[in-house]
Amino acid sequence: MVLFRRFLGDVLRSERMQRGLTLREVSAEARVSLGYISEIERGQKEASSELLASLCAAMDLPLSEVLRDVSSAIALEEVALGLRPVAATPITAARTATSDVVASAA
Amino acid sequence: MVLFRRFLGDVLRSERMQRGLTLREVSAEARVSLGYISEIERGQKEASSELLASLCAAMDLPLSEVLRDVSSAIALEEVALGLRPVAATPITAARTATSDVVASAA
């Protein structure tokens, strides 16, 4: 079973680290307990929609980007689990597009 | 505040209707109460990750596609709310790509 909260946690942690933010900083800015954010990042707790919006605002991160990244990661997982054909995944199209850009830039 | 559950509910209802499925059918297939699914579709209740996976499986719908559609809808909302510039939205690129396909097919 593909669990949304697990992939969401991975993306949120990755985005926080890319910004060089600590759990403590995000906790203070979002006014959410540090332990709760940590559990969300580890995919152990569901984040309510209000909490998710607060976390995104605290990191100056559009919710749409978080969900797009979660969607891409889940699409890969679905392929790995045989839940969908490779050709149908948006991630394949995205990769091809990226390769094109790289090729054009070269 | 952009609430995930509201957009998720819209996408789930839209996908169910596109498949010509009733709440009763999805309820029976997913083994989730009809009232609960209805509340989720109306954005009134949060769906746990397990429930979301069950609903997607019941509709033979990849979770990644649901999240991609939710992401696109939220990106438009973020532009409308001035939370992000128009040029940065994936939906703009998607629209352009669709227009290209339509133009090529014409």
Side-chain angles (χ1 to χ4, degrees):
Chain A
M1 185 178 271
V2 180
L3 294 180
F4 173 63
R5 66 173 171 272
R6 190 159 68 79
F7 292 86
L8 177 66
D10 285 345
V11 169
L12 289 174
R13 187 181 50 225
S14 164
E15 291 285 350
R16 177 175 62 77
M17 290 179 141
Q18 275 179 39
R19 287 165 169 71
L21 294 169
T22 63
L23 276 174
R24 192 172 300 277
E25 288 166 331
V26 174
S27 168
E29 181 71 24
R31 299 188 182 196
V32 178
S33 85
L34 189 151
Y36 196 19
I37 299 178
S38 174
E39 284 186 302
I40 287 169
E41 287 192 355
R42 281 178 283 137
Q44 292 173 346
K45 277 260 167 52
E46 302 280 350
S48 72
S49 296
E50 283 80 1
L51 183 56
L52 188 52
S54 294
L55 287 179
C56 286
M59 292 196 280
D60 196 18
L61 169 67
L63 175 57
S64 60
E65 285 186 21
V66 172
L67 295 173
R68 190 192 58 203
D69 291 350
V70 172
S71 170
S72 297
I74 289 181
L76 282 178
E77 179 80 357
E78 287 167 347
V79 170
L81 294 173
L83 296 176
R84 59 187 293 161
V86 176
T89 60
I91 193 74
T92 311
R95 271 189 178 159
T96 308
T98 309
S99 306
D100 289 349
V101 171
V102 173
S104 308
Chain B
M1 185 178 269
V2 180
L3 294 179
F4 173 63
R5 65 173 172 274
R6 190 159 68 79
F7 292 86
L8 177 66
D10 285 345
V11 168
L12 288 174
R13 187 180 52 224
S14 164
E15 291 286 351
R16 178 174 61 76
M17 290 181 142
Q18 275 178 39
R19 287 164 169 71
L21 295 168
T22 62
L23 277 173
R24 192 172 301 277
E25 288 167 331
V26 174
S27 168
E29 183 71 24
R31 300 188 181 194
V32 178
S33 85
L34 189 151
Y36 196 19
I37 299 179
S38 174
E39 284 186 301
I40 287 170
E41 287 192 356
R42 281 179 282 137
Q44 294 174 345
K45 277 260 168 51
E46 302 280 350
S48 72
S49 296
E50 284 80 1
L51 182 56
L52 187 52
S54 294
L55 286 180
C56 286
M59 292 196 280
D60 196 19
L61 169 66
L63 175 57
S64 60
E65 286 187 19
V66 172
L67 295 173
R68 191 191 57 202
D69 291 350
V70 172
S71 170
S72 298
I74 288 181
L76 282 178
E77 179 81 357
E78 288 166 347
V79 170
L81 293 174
L83 295 175
R84 59 188 291 161
V86 176
T89 59
I91 193 71
T92 312
R95 271 189 179 159
T96 307
T98 308
S99 306
D100 288 349
V101 171
V102 172
S104 308

